[in-house]
Amino acid sequence: MHLTHDPKSGPVDTISFDDFLKVDMRLGTIVEAEVFPEARNPAYKLRIDFGEGVGIKRSAAQITTHYTPQSLIGTRVMAVVNFPPRQIGPVRSEVLVLGFPDESGEIVLARPDQDAPNGARLA
């Protein structure tokens, strides 16, 4: 899943703090990454360990410009874990990995700059 928003247009609609709390964003570690050849746009199939409670989840991510499958193994990432799963070709994507578009629109992963446990919820 790839969401876009023009950064020059300002914030999107205002939501309540209670609405924000409904979005479950967690920290995980990528344990598997491979090319997703069936995807319409270049993408990787990922398996991400979110620790006890959430477990290992699958995702499809369009992050092929800045990352290789090998470089992603062991990478800490943030993801939304409570969206309904989406079927993307033969892959059932269970979480949305978070990132930001660079100047060319290619995704750069959102990652913590310090260590925290798998499954930690964004606070």
Side-chain angles (χ1 to χ4, degrees):
M1 179 187 303
H2 188 116
L3 306 175
T4 58
H5 174 71
D6 181 359
K8 296 177 185 142
S9 68
V12 293
D13 295 336
T14 300
I15 63 170
S16 71
F17 188 70
D18 288 339
D19 287 337
F20 172 74
L21 291 176
K22 293 176 185 177
V23 181
D24 192 354
M25 290 175 269
R26 303 280 182 123
L27 181 62
T29 301
I30 296 174
V31 294
E32 290 180 23
E34 60 182 287
V35 174
F36 184 6
E38 302 92 349
R40 284 191 192 128
N41 297 310
Y44 295 136
K45 295 185 280 186
L46 307 175
R47 288 178 44 90
I48 306 166
D49 183 358
F50 292 98
E52 270 189 61
V54 178
I56 295 177
K57 298 293 183 181
R58 292 176 292 194
S59 187
Q62 295 176 6
I63 55 174
T64 59
T65 298
H66 295 297
Y67 309 97
T68 65
Q70 299 79 12
S71 72
L72 289 168
I73 304 300
T75 296
R76 310 299 307 282
V77 294
M78 297 182 340
V80 175
V81 299
N82 67 333
F83 284 149
R86 287 189 55 177
Q87 193 69 36
I88 302 173
V91 172
R92 185 173 170 93
S93 188
E94 301 171 299
V95 300
L96 174 65
V97 174
L98 300 176
F100 300 94
D102 66 10
E103 292 293 325
S104 302
E106 300 299 331
I107 300 301
V108 176
L109 292 171
R111 301 190 278 185
D113 67 352
Q114 298 291 319
D115 197 23
N118 283 343
R121 187 168 183 192
L122 182 69

